[in-house]
CSV table of all heavy atoms in Angstrom, one decimal:
chain,number,residue,atom,x,y,z
A,1,ILE,N,4.3,7.8,-10.3
A,1,ILE,CA,3.9,6.6,-9.5
A,1,ILE,C,3.5,7.0,-8.1
A,1,ILE,O,2.5,6.5,-7.6
A,1,ILE,CB,5.1,5.6,-9.5
A,1,ILE,CG1,5.3,5.0,-10.9
A,1,ILE,CG2,4.7,4.4,-8.5
A,1,ILE,CD1,6.5,4.1,-11.0
A,2,VAL,N,4.3,7.8,-7.4
A,2,VAL,CA,4.0,8.2,-6.1
A,2,VAL,C,2.7,9.0,-6.0
A,2,VAL,O,1.8,8.8,-5.2
A,2,VAL,CB,5.1,9.1,-5.5
A,2,VAL,CG1,4.7,9.7,-4.2
A,2,VAL,CG2,6.4,8.2,-5.3
A,3,VAL,N,2.5,9.9,-7.0
A,3,VAL,CA,1.2,10.7,-7.0
A,3,VAL,C,0.0,9.8,-7.2
A,3,VAL,O,-1.0,10.0,-6.5
A,3,VAL,CB,1.3,11.8,-8.1
A,3,VAL,CG1,0.0,12.5,-8.3
A,3,VAL,CG2,2.4,12.8,-7.8
A,4,VAL,N,0.1,8.9,-8.2
A,4,VAL,CA,-1.0,8.0,-8.4
A,4,VAL,C,-1.3,7.1,-7.1
A,4,VAL,O,-2.5,6.9,-6.8
A,4,VAL,CB,-0.8,7.1,-9.6
A,4,VAL,CG1,-1.9,6.0,-9.7
A,4,VAL,CG2,-0.8,7.9,-10.9
A,5,ALA,N,-0.2,6.7,-6.5
A,5,ALA,CA,-0.4,5.9,-5.3
A,5,ALA,C,-1.1,6.7,-4.2
A,5,ALA,O,-2.0,6.2,-3.5
A,5,ALA,CB,0.9,5.3,-4.8
A,6,GLN,N,-0.7,7.9,-4.0
A,6,GLN,CA,-1.3,8.8,-3.0
A,6,GLN,C,-2.7,9.1,-3.3
A,6,GLN,O,-3.6,9.1,-2.4
A,6,GLN,CB,-0.5,10.2,-3.0
A,6,GLN,CG,0.9,10.1,-2.4
A,6,GLN,CD,0.9,9.8,-0.9
A,6,GLN,OE1,-0.1,10.0,-0.2
A,6,GLN,NE2,2.0,9.2,-0.4
A,7,ALA,N,-3.1,9.2,-4.6
A,7,ALA,CA,-4.5,9.4,-5.0
A,7,ALA,C,-5.3,8.2,-4.6
A,7,ALA,O,-6.4,8.3,-4.2
A,7,ALA,CB,-4.6,9.7,-6.5
A,8,GLY,N,-4.7,7.0,-4.9
A,8,GLY,CA,-5.4,5.8,-4.6
A,8,GLY,C,-5.7,5.6,-3.1
A,8,GLY,O,-6.8,5.2,-2.6
A,9,SER,N,-4.7,6.0,-2.3
A,9,SER,CA,-4.9,6.0,-0.8
A,9,SER,C,-5.9,7.0,-0.4
A,9,SER,O,-6.8,6.7,0.5
A,9,SER,CB,-3.5,6.3,-0.2
A,9,SER,OG,-3.7,6.3,1.2
A,10,ALA,N,-5.9,8.2,-1.0
A,10,ALA,CA,-6.9,9.2,-0.6
A,10,ALA,C,-8.4,8.7,-1.0
A,10,ALA,O,-9.3,8.9,-0.2
A,10,ALA,CB,-6.6,10.5,-1.3
A,11,LYS,N,-8.5,8.0,-2.1
A,11,LYS,CA,-9.8,7.5,-2.5
A,11,LYS,C,-10.3,6.5,-1.5
A,11,LYS,O,-11.5,6.5,-1.1
A,11,LYS,CB,-9.7,6.8,-3.9
A,11,LYS,CG,-11.0,6.3,-4.4
A,11,LYS,CD,-10.9,5.3,-5.6
A,11,LYS,CE,-10.3,4.0,-5.1
A,11,LYS,NZ,-10.3,3.0,-6.2
A,12,GLU,N,-9.4,5.6,-1.0
A,12,GLU,CA,-9.8,4.6,-0.1
A,12,GLU,C,-10.3,5.2,1.2
A,12,GLU,O,-11.2,4.8,1.9
A,12,GLU,CB,-8.7,3.6,0.2
A,12,GLU,CG,-8.4,2.7,-1.1
A,12,GLU,CD,-9.5,1.8,-1.5
A,12,GLU,OE1,-10.1,1.2,-0.6
A,12,GLU,OE2,-9.9,1.8,-2.6
A,13,ARG,N,-9.5,6.2,1.7
A,13,ARG,CA,-9.9,6.9,2.9
A,13,ARG,C,-11.3,7.6,2.8
A,13,ARG,O,-12.1,7.5,3.7
A,13,ARG,CB,-8.9,8.0,3.3
A,13,ARG,CG,-7.5,7.4,3.8
A,13,ARG,CD,-6.7,8.4,4.5
A,13,ARG,NE,-6.4,9.6,3.6
A,13,ARG,CZ,-5.4,9.7,2.8
A,13,ARG,NH1,-4.5,8.7,2.8
A,13,ARG,NH2,-5.2,10.7,2.1
A,14,GLU,N,-11.5,8.2,1.7
A,14,GLU,CA,-12.8,8.9,1.5
A,14,GLU,C,-14.0,7.9,1.4
A,14,GLU,O,-15.0,8.1,2.0
A,14,GLU,CB,-12.8,9.7,0.2
A,14,GLU,CG,-11.8,10.9,0.2
A,14,GLU,CD,-11.5,11.5,-1.1
A,14,GLU,OE1,-12.1,11.0,-2.1
A,14,GLU,OE2,-10.8,12.5,-1.2
A,15,LEU,N,-13.8,6.7,0.8
A,15,LEU,CA,-14.8,5.7,0.7
A,15,LEU,C,-15.1,5.2,2.1
A,15,LEU,O,-16.2,4.9,2.4
A,15,LEU,CB,-14.4,4.6,-0.3
A,15,LEU,CG,-14.4,5.0,-1.8
A,15,LEU,CD1,-13.9,3.8,-2.6
A,15,LEU,CD2,-15.8,5.4,-2.2
A,16,ALA,N,-14.0,5.0,2.9
A,16,ALA,CA,-14.2,4.5,4.2
A,16,ALA,C,-15.0,5.4,5.1
A,16,ALA,O,-15.9,5.0,5.9
A,16,ALA,CB,-12.9,4.2,4.9
A,17,SER,N,-14.8,6.7,4.9
A,17,SER,CA,-15.5,7.7,5.7
A,17,SER,C,-16.9,7.8,5.4
A,17,SER,O,-17.7,8.3,6.2
A,17,SER,CB,-14.8,9.1,5.6
A,17,SER,OG,-15.0,9.6,4.2
A,18,THR,N,-17.3,7.4,4.2
A,18,THR,CA,-18.7,7.4,3.8
A,18,THR,C,-19.4,6.1,3.8
A,18,THR,O,-20.5,5.9,3.4
A,18,THR,CB,-18.9,8.0,2.4
A,18,THR,OG1,-18.1,7.2,1.5
A,18,THR,CG2,-18.3,9.5,2.3
A,19,GLY,N,-18.6,5.1,4.4
A,19,GLY,CA,-19.2,3.7,4.4
A,19,GLY,C,-19.0,2.9,3.1
A,19,GLY,O,-19.6,1.8,3.0
A,20,GLY,N,-18.3,3.5,2.2
A,20,GLY,CA,-18.1,2.8,0.9
A,20,GLY,C,-17.2,1.6,0.9
A,20,GLY,O,-17.5,0.5,0.4
A,21,SER,N,-16.1,1.7,1.6
A,21,SER,CA,-15.2,0.5,1.8
A,21,SER,C,-14.3,0.8,2.9
A,21,SER,O,-14.3,2.0,3.5
A,21,SER,CB,-14.4,0.3,0.5
A,21,SER,OG,-13.5,1.3,0.3
A,22,SER,N,-13.5,-0.1,3.3
A,22,SER,CA,-12.6,0.1,4.4
A,22,SER,C,-11.2,0.6,3.9
A,22,SER,O,-10.6,-0.1,3.1
A,22,SER,CB,-12.4,-1.2,5.2
A,22,SER,OG,-11.4,-1.1,6.2
A,23,ALA,N,-10.8,1.7,4.4
A,23,ALA,CA,-9.5,2.2,3.9
A,23,ALA,C,-8.4,1.9,4.9
A,23,ALA,O,-7.2,2.0,4.5
A,23,ALA,CB,-9.6,3.8,3.8
A,24,GLY,N,-8.7,1.6,6.1
A,24,GLY,CA,-7.7,1.3,7.1
A,24,GLY,C,-7.0,0.0,6.7
A,24,GLY,O,-7.5,-0.9,6.1
A,25,VAL,N,-5.7,-0.1,7.0
A,25,VAL,CA,-4.9,-1.3,6.7
A,25,VAL,C,-5.0,-2.1,8.0
A,25,VAL,O,-4.2,-1.9,9.0
A,25,VAL,CB,-3.5,-0.9,6.3
A,25,VAL,CG1,-2.7,-2.2,6.0
A,25,VAL,CG2,-3.5,0.1,5.2
A,26,ALA,N,-5.9,-3.0,8.1
A,26,ALA,CA,-6.1,-3.8,9.3
A,26,ALA,C,-4.9,-4.5,9.8
A,26,ALA,O,-4.7,-4.6,11.0
A,26,ALA,CB,-7.3,-4.8,9.1
A,27,GLU,N,-4.0,-5.0,8.9
A,27,GLU,CA,-2.8,-5.7,9.3
A,27,GLU,C,-1.6,-4.9,9.1
A,27,GLU,O,-0.5,-5.5,8.8
A,27,GLU,CB,-2.8,-7.0,8.5
A,27,GLU,CG,-3.9,-8.0,8.7
A,27,GLU,CD,-3.8,-9.2,8.0
A,27,GLU,OE1,-3.0,-10.1,8.3
A,27,GLU,OE2,-4.6,-9.4,7.0
A,28,PHE,N,-1.7,-3.6,9.2
A,28,PHE,CA,-0.5,-2.7,9.0
A,28,PHE,C,0.7,-3.1,9.8
A,28,PHE,O,0.6,-3.3,11.1
A,28,PHE,CB,-0.9,-1.2,9.2
A,28,PHE,CG,0.3,-0.3,8.9
A,28,PHE,CD1,0.5,0.1,7.6
A,28,PHE,CD2,1.1,0.1,9.9
A,28,PHE,CE1,1.5,1.0,7.3
A,28,PHE,CE2,2.2,1.0,9.6
A,28,PHE,CZ,2.3,1.4,8.3
A,29,ASP,N,1.8,-3.3,9.2
A,29,ASP,CA,3.0,-3.7,9.9
A,29,ASP,C,4.2,-3.1,9.0
A,29,ASP,O,4.6,-3.6,8.0
A,29,ASP,CB,3.2,-5.2,9.9
A,29,ASP,CG,4.3,-5.7,10.8
A,29,ASP,OD1,5.4,-5.0,10.7
A,29,ASP,OD2,4.2,-6.7,11.5
A,30,LEU,N,4.7,-2.0,9.5
A,30,LEU,CA,5.7,-1.2,8.7
A,30,LEU,C,6.9,-2.0,8.5
A,30,LEU,O,7.4,-2.1,7.3
A,30,LEU,CB,6.0,0.1,9.4
A,30,LEU,CG,7.0,1.0,8.7
A,30,LEU,CD1,6.4,1.4,7.4
A,30,LEU,CD2,7.4,2.2,9.5
A,31,ARG,N,7.5,-2.7,9.5
A,31,ARG,CA,8.7,-3.4,9.3
A,31,ARG,C,8.5,-4.6,8.4
A,31,ARG,O,9.3,-4.8,7.4
A,31,ARG,CB,9.2,-3.9,10.7
A,31,ARG,CG,10.5,-4.7,10.6
A,31,ARG,CD,11.0,-5.1,11.9
A,31,ARG,NE,11.4,-3.9,12.7
A,31,ARG,CZ,11.9,-4.0,14.0
A,31,ARG,NH1,12.1,-5.2,14.6
A,31,ARG,NH2,12.2,-2.9,14.6
A,32,LYS,N,7.5,-5.4,8.6
A,32,LYS,CA,7.2,-6.5,7.7
A,32,LYS,C,6.9,-6.1,6.3
A,32,LYS,O,7.3,-6.6,5.3
A,32,LYS,CB,6.1,-7.4,8.3
A,32,LYS,CG,5.8,-8.7,7.5
A,32,LYS,CD,4.6,-9.4,8.1
A,32,LYS,CE,4.9,-9.9,9.4
A,32,LYS,NZ,3.7,-10.8,9.9
A,33,GLY,N,6.0,-5.0,6.3
A,33,GLY,CA,5.5,-4.5,5.0
A,33,GLY,C,6.7,-4.0,4.1
A,33,GLY,O,6.7,-4.3,2.9
A,34,LEU,N,7.6,-3.2,4.7
A,34,LEU,CA,8.7,-2.7,4.0
A,34,LEU,C,9.6,-3.8,3.5
A,34,LEU,O,10.1,-3.7,2.4
A,34,LEU,CB,9.5,-1.7,4.8
A,34,LEU,CG,8.8,-0.3,5.0
A,34,LEU,CD1,9.6,0.6,5.9
A,34,LEU,CD2,8.6,0.4,3.6
A,35,ALA,N,9.8,-4.8,4.3
A,35,ALA,CA,10.7,-5.9,3.9
A,35,ALA,C,10.1,-6.6,2.7
A,35,ALA,O,10.8,-6.9,1.8
A,35,ALA,CB,10.9,-6.9,5.1
A,36,ILE,N,8.8,-6.9,2.8
A,36,ILE,CA,8.2,-7.6,1.7
A,36,ILE,C,8.1,-6.7,0.4
A,36,ILE,O,8.3,-7.1,-0.7
A,36,ILE,CB,6.7,-8.0,2.0
A,36,ILE,CG1,6.8,-9.0,3.2
A,36,ILE,CG2,6.0,-8.6,0.8
A,36,ILE,CD1,5.4,-9.4,3.7
A,37,ALA,N,7.9,-5.4,0.6
A,37,ALA,CA,7.8,-4.5,-0.5
A,37,ALA,C,9.2,-4.4,-1.2
A,37,ALA,O,9.2,-4.3,-2.5
A,37,ALA,CB,7.4,-3.1,-0.1
A,38,VAL,N,10.2,-4.3,-0.5
A,38,VAL,CA,11.6,-4.3,-1.1
A,38,VAL,C,11.8,-5.6,-1.8
A,38,VAL,O,12.3,-5.5,-2.9
A,38,VAL,CB,12.6,-4.0,0.0
A,38,VAL,CG1,14.0,-4.3,-0.5
A,38,VAL,CG2,12.5,-2.6,0.6
A,39,PHE,N,11.5,-6.7,-1.2
A,39,PHE,CA,11.7,-8.0,-1.9
A,39,PHE,C,10.9,-8.0,-3.2
A,39,PHE,O,11.4,-8.4,-4.2
A,39,PHE,CB,11.3,-9.1,-0.9
A,39,PHE,CG,11.4,-10.5,-1.6
A,39,PHE,CD1,12.6,-11.2,-1.6
A,39,PHE,CD2,10.3,-11.1,-2.1
A,39,PHE,CE1,12.7,-12.4,-2.1
A,39,PHE,CE2,10.4,-12.4,-2.7
A,39,PHE,CZ,11.6,-13.0,-2.7
A,40,SER,N,9.6,-7.7,-3.1
A,40,SER,CA,8.7,-7.7,-4.3
A,40,SER,C,9.2,-6.8,-5.4
A,40,SER,O,9.3,-7.1,-6.5
A,40,SER,CB,7.3,-7.3,-3.9
A,40,SER,OG,6.4,-7.3,-5.0
A,41,GLY,N,9.6,-5.6,-5.0
A,41,GLY,CA,10.1,-4.6,-6.0
A,41,GLY,C,11.3,-5.0,-6.7
A,41,GLY,O,11.4,-4.9,-7.9
A,42,VAL,N,12.3,-5.5,-5.9
A,42,VAL,CA,13.5,-6.0,-6.5
A,42,VAL,C,13.3,-7.2,-7.4
A,42,VAL,O,13.8,-7.3,-8.5
A,42,VAL,CB,14.6,-6.3,-5.4
A,42,VAL,CG1,15.8,-7.0,-6.0
A,42,VAL,CG2,15.0,-5.0,-4.6
A,43,MET,N,12.6,-8.2,-6.9
A,43,MET,CA,12.3,-9.4,-7.7
A,43,MET,C,11.5,-9.1,-9.0
A,43,MET,O,11.8,-9.7,-10.0
A,43,MET,CB,11.6,-10.4,-6.8
A,43,MET,CG,12.3,-11.0,-5.7
A,43,MET,SD,13.8,-12.0,-6.2
A,43,MET,CE,15.1,-10.8,-5.8
A,44,SER,N,10.5,-8.2,-8.9
A,44,SER,CA,9.7,-7.9,-10.1
A,44,SER,C,10.6,-7.2,-11.1
A,44,SER,O,10.4,-7.4,-12.3
A,44,SER,CB,8.6,-7.0,-9.7
A,44,SER,OG,7.7,-7.6,-8.8
A,45,GLY,N,11.6,-6.4,-10.7
A,45,GLY,CA,12.5,-5.8,-11.7
A,45,GLY,C,13.4,-6.8,-12.4
A,45,GLY,O,14.0,-6.4,-13.4
A,46,CYS,N,13.5,-8.0,-11.9
A,46,CYS,CA,14.4,-9.0,-12.5
A,46,CYS,C,14.0,-9.4,-13.9
A,46,CYS,O,14.8,-10.0,-14.6
A,46,CYS,CB,14.4,-10.3,-11.6
A,46,CYS,SG,15.4,-10.1,-10.0
A,47,PHE,N,12.7,-9.2,-14.3
A,47,PHE,CA,12.3,-9.5,-15.6
A,47,PHE,C,13.1,-8.8,-16.6
A,47,PHE,O,13.5,-9.4,-17.7
A,47,PHE,CB,10.8,-9.2,-15.8
A,47,PHE,CG,10.2,-9.9,-16.9
A,47,PHE,CD1,9.4,-11.0,-16.7
A,47,PHE,CD2,10.3,-9.5,-18.3
A,47,PHE,CE1,8.8,-11.7,-17.7
A,47,PHE,CE2,9.7,-10.2,-19.3
A,47,PHE,CZ,9.0,-11.3,-19.1
């Protein structure tokens, strides 16, 4: 999962550098993002 996620991030960076799409996370917020990610991950596993 981590390797695939890293590959996806690398693809976005490459596309941004060639004008294909934006790889930057315009609203990057580590504290808020990690809190939401933990909530989402835990809740999704509830199935």
Side-chain angles (χ1 to χ4, degrees):
I1 290 172
V2 172
V3 172
V4 171
Q6 291 290 340
S9 180
K11 182 195 73 170
E12 293 298 311
R13 289 196 301 269
E14 291 168 0
L15 290 176
S17 67
T18 59
S21 67
S22 174
V25 185
E27 298 180 71
F28 183 82
D29 188 321
L30 183 62
R31 180 177 296 181
K32 183 186 293 185
L34 284 177
I36 294 173
V38 169
F39 178 83
S40 177
V42 171
M43 292 297 102
S44 295
C46 287
F47 200 99

